[in-house]
Amino acid sequence: MQNLNVNGKAPAQEDALPSSVRTPIQLIGDIARMMGDRIRSTGEEHPVSQKSGRLLLMELARRDGRTQLDLVHATHLKAPTISVALQKLEKDGYVSRRPDEYDLRATRVFLTEKGRALDDKIRRHVHAEESEAMKNLTDSERETLMRLLNKIKTNLTDTSEKDGDLY
């Protein structure tokens, strides 16, 4: 049997991590996927199937009447993704777009009653799954987790802004 390490066709064993070792970022990704799977498996179909659409609904529920650029910065999605998602949400009756009353060059996006009702429904499912995921953490552990995750997010945001990547 040929030793692949000798002929340079495989990495040295010291460089390879065992498959059971997960980095913190990989673990965060695993948890995010698991949460998404659990939320989608509730048995109820959400008319807004795209993640970007659900994210836009939640951001508009936090602060209605935002511009597309505001939504790009708030969601960290690319502008074309926002544009396509808003077109679908508007066509389906979840959002409406109106010119800004002070700056007619700007367009503001608003949730409709239908959009607000759907956001409430999605929010209840997310809250239930989040409560289940966090049930064995103390208040102190939750605060520590939030502080650490916010530091990671800030690091990534700072790096992207320095590199000129505006999502």
Side-chain angles (χ1 to χ4, degrees):
M1 186 159 142
Q2 201 175 34
N3 182 346
L4 294 177
N5 288 334
V6 172
N7 66 18
K9 293 186 180 180
Q13 285 298 332
E14 303 85 55
D15 295 342
L17 287 174
S19 61
S20 62
V21 175
R22 305 292 286 163
T23 68
I25 299 302
Q26 288 172 326
L27 189 55
I28 290 168
D30 291 346
I31 293 166
R33 279 188 296 282
M34 290 170 70
M35 286 291 291
D37 289 346
R38 288 178 63 107
I39 291 165
R40 284 186 295 278
S41 72
T42 60
E44 290 191 55
E45 283 297 313
H46 295 298
V48 178
S49 59
Q50 293 178 322
K51 179 181 163 187
S52 56
R54 291 190 304 272
L55 191 54
L56 289 172
L57 287 177
M58 291 189 325
E59 282 300 324
L60 289 168
R62 282 188 193 125
R63 197 176 90 220
D64 212 8
R66 295 167 102 163
T67 65
Q68 284 187 219
L69 186 58
D70 290 340
L71 292 169
V72 166
H73 292 297
T75 62
H76 304 288
L77 295 172
K78 303 249 184 243
T81 302
I82 299 275
S83 181
V84 169
L86 285 176
Q87 287 173 8
K88 180 161 178 31
L89 290 171
E90 187 173 33
K91 178 180 164 267
D92 293 343
Y94 296 110
V95 301
S96 65
R97 292 190 251 197
R98 299 190 294 259
D100 185 291
E101 62 183 87
Y102 302 107
D103 181 357
L104 296 179
R105 296 170 296 174
T107 299
R108 301 260 170 204
V109 183
F110 296 88
L111 281 178
T112 62
E113 287 305 312
K114 183 179 176 181
R116 198 165 302 286
L118 179 59
D119 174 70
D120 288 342
K121 183 178 179 180
I122 292 171
R123 213 173 274 280
R124 281 193 304 275
H125 287 143
V126 170
H127 180 70
E129 290 302 328
E130 186 175 283
S131 293
E132 180 65 22
M134 305 284 277
K135 70 181 178 186
N136 292 323
L137 297 181
T138 65
D139 288 343
S140 175
E141 289 170 330
R142 287 174 191 237
E143 288 174 20
T144 300
L145 177 61
M146 287 301 293
R147 185 176 46 78
L148 294 172
L149 290 173
N150 277 316
K151 276 186 172 184
I152 292 170
K153 183 178 177 185
T154 298
N155 290 343
L156 294 173
T157 302
D158 289 349
T159 301
S160 293
E161 288 173 359
K162 286 177 189 169
D163 293 341
D165 181 14
L166 296 177
Y167 303 101

